[in-house]
């Protein structure tokens, strides 16, 4: 596995997966194959986000082993109830011991998955981590579901954030974009975008400053669902058979996962195609734009990423 690094293939469009979870137990056992398949397809870097104290060590190990992986450590709102009394001290230690790491995934959630997690506790945990990211001058990846008013209020009282706040899998309104962007937000798009009506998604996408657009998979979640309308037909994407033919045996695990409804980083090409269609922009242009944005964002001191990409 140590030979799996950063892809450098002539003629392959460079893509930066700005948010995924390769340490997730549903795909961790096949992560080497998934990384190889994605690298072969042009995905050069993966931002792997920890979600609780239970997986930070796995994320760190992955970051140490793979040049292409940018590790992130954070306490996700779904795991607030499981935190230990020393969770924040441990988080700071992981970040201190891993100069190349960013902060994430953190956030706020008022959805069904978090209905039994006290929102006041979520806010306390979120605010501590957001402030830590600002002090460390590191970008921070944020999950927000049905809590954008609270998010904006907290960011206004804590920000701005010159190192960047990544609003991952953003499906908020177009009206919120200017205020969030002013505070230092980047907007990252995944297959979750298909949960929005295409017309609404297009309006929102066109409201995002071009230098704040990122592309991600959120693997193993965020698998793109096929939605069509008379105005926005879903673009054709490569079949799993075509993927196997193009990328060889290493794609077998990825194909199997897709059939199981699980996502993997090589599927970022599907996200790229869908977002480019809504933006009425060539895929290659969007790939280059989002790659430059992510490279700039993750070029903080100590990072593996060089500002020249």
């Amino acid at each position: 596995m140590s030979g799996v690094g950063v892809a450098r293939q002539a003629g392959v469009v460079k893509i930066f997966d700005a948010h995924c979870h390769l340490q997730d137990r549903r795909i961790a056992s096949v992560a080497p194959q998934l990384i190889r398949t994605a690298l072969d397809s042009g995905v050069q870097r993966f931002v792997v986000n920890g979600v609780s104290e239970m997986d930070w060590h796995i994320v760190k190990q992955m970051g140490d082993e793979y040049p292409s992986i940018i590790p992130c450590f954070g306490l996700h709102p779904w795991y607030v109830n499981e935190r230990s009394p020393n969770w924040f001290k441990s988080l700071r230690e992981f970040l201190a011991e891993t100069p190349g790491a960013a902060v994430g995934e953190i956030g706020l959630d008022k959805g069904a998955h978090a209905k039994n997690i006290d929102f006041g506790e979520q806010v306390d945990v979120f605010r501590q981590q957001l402030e830590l990211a600002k002090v460390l001058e590191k970008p921070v990846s944020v999950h927000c579901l049905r809590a954008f008013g609270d998010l904006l209020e907290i960011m206004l009282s804590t920000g701005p954030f010159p190192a960047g706040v990544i609003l991952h899998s953003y499906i908020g309104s177009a009206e919120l974009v200017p205020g969030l962007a002013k505070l230092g937000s980047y907007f990252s798009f995944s297959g979750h975008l298909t949960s929005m009506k295409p017309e609404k998604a297009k309006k929102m996408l066109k409201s995002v400053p071009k230098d704040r657009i990122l592309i991600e998979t959120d693997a193993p979640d965020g698998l793109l669902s096929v939605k069509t309308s008379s105005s926005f037909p879903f673009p054709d994407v490569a079949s799993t058979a075509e993927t196997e033919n193009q990328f060889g045996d290493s794609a077998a695990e990825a194909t199997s996962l897709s059939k199981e409804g699980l996502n993997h980083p090589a599927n970022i090409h599907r996200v790229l195609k869908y977002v480019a269609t809504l933006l009425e922009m060539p895929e290659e242009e969007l790939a280059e734009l989002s790659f430059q944005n992510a490279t700039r964002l993750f070029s903080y001191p100590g990072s593996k990423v060089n500002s020249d990409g």
Side-chain angles (χ1 to χ4, degrees):
M1 289 191 293
S2 59
V4 182
V6 178
R8 298 288 180 188
Q9 297 188 39
V12 176
V13 175
K14 297 186 301 183
I15 304 180
F16 202 128
D17 188 345
H19 187 105
C20 65
H21 302 276
L22 291 171
Q23 85 287 5
D24 189 289
R25 58 181 177 78
R26 292 170 289 172
I27 61 171
S29 64
V30 294
Q33 295 95 312
L34 300 181
I35 292 169
R36 170 51 63 194
T37 300
L39 287 168
D40 288 347
S41 78
V43 183
Q44 291 202 355
R45 297 196 183 275
F46 315 82
V47 182
V48 176
N49 287 261
V51 295
S52 75
E53 293 166 88
M54 298 300 293
D55 71 4
W56 293 342
H57 67 288
I58 305 173
V59 172
K60 179 173 172 53
Q61 182 179 354
M62 284 184 160
D64 289 343
E65 189 165 2
Y66 294 101
S68 53
I69 286 179
I70 299 167
C72 301
F73 308 114
L75 181 57
H76 190 287
W78 293 354
Y79 302 97
V80 163
N81 289 347
E82 300 172 21
R83 73 192 188 280
S84 74
N86 296 318
W87 74 272
F88 192 62
K89 179 176 182 289
S90 179
L91 175 61
R92 287 184 299 180
E93 288 172 351
F94 268 94
L95 289 165
E97 293 166 3
T98 318
V103 180
E105 179 179 356
I106 71 173
L108 302 171
D109 195 314
K110 287 183 174 178
H113 200 107
K115 65 181 180 181
N116 295 321
I117 303 170
D118 182 79
F119 191 70
E121 286 192 52
Q122 286 189 47
V123 169
D124 289 342
V125 168
F126 175 67
R127 190 184 289 274
Q128 287 183 72
Q129 295 179 98
L130 192 64
E131 291 173 348
L132 177 63
K134 183 171 183 178
V135 168
L136 296 178
E137 300 181 337
K138 297 286 185 75
V140 54
S141 191
V142 171
H143 163 107
C144 186
L145 185 61
R146 300 180 181 176
F148 281 103
D150 302 276
L151 175 68
L152 183 57
E153 182 180 342
I154 292 168
M155 287 182 63
L156 281 168
S157 67
T158 313
F161 302 90
V165 172
I166 304 147
L167 300 179
H168 109 85
S169 292
Y170 185 74
I171 53 172
S173 70
E175 289 73 22
L176 284 169
V177 168
L180 290 166
K182 187 177 180 180
L183 290 165
S185 295
Y186 286 68
F187 302 81
S188 189
F189 302 104
S190 71
H192 292 295
L193 189 63
T194 53
S195 68
M196 298 179 73
K197 291 182 178 180
E199 292 83 357
K200 186 176 180 181
K202 180 175 183 176
K203 178 184 177 183
M204 181 268 286
L205 282 166
K206 293 212 166 189
S207 73
V208 177
K210 292 293 190 294
D211 64 349
R212 300 297 181 89
I213 294 175
L214 303 174
I215 302 293
E216 64 168 87
T217 57
D218 194 25
D221 298 307
L223 190 65
L224 204 73
S225 64
V226 176
K227 286 181 178 288
T228 61
S229 74
S230 57
S231 302
F232 299 101
F234 188 84
D236 291 333
V237 294
S239 68
T240 54
E242 289 172 335
T243 301
E244 286 185 3
N245 290 336
Q246 184 176 1
F247 303 127
D249 294 338
S250 64
E253 293 290 354
T255 299
S256 175
L257 289 173
S258 291
K259 290 176 180 177
E260 295 172 19
L262 295 176
N263 202 6
H264 56 86
N267 278 334
I268 200 165
H269 293 275
R270 295 168 60 91
V271 178
L272 178 72
K273 186 179 287 287
Y274 186 56
V275 173
T277 298
L278 293 179
L279 283 172
E280 301 170 310
M281 176 186 294
E283 287 177 54
E284 295 78 8
E285 182 181 340
L286 178 59
E288 179 62 22
L289 174 69
S290 59
F291 189 90
Q292 289 178 354
N293 292 344
T295 296
R296 181 177 64 254
L297 178 63
F298 287 97
S299 291
Y300 47 84
S303 172
K304 298 176 180 181
V305 181
N306 295 318
S307 59
D308 61 3

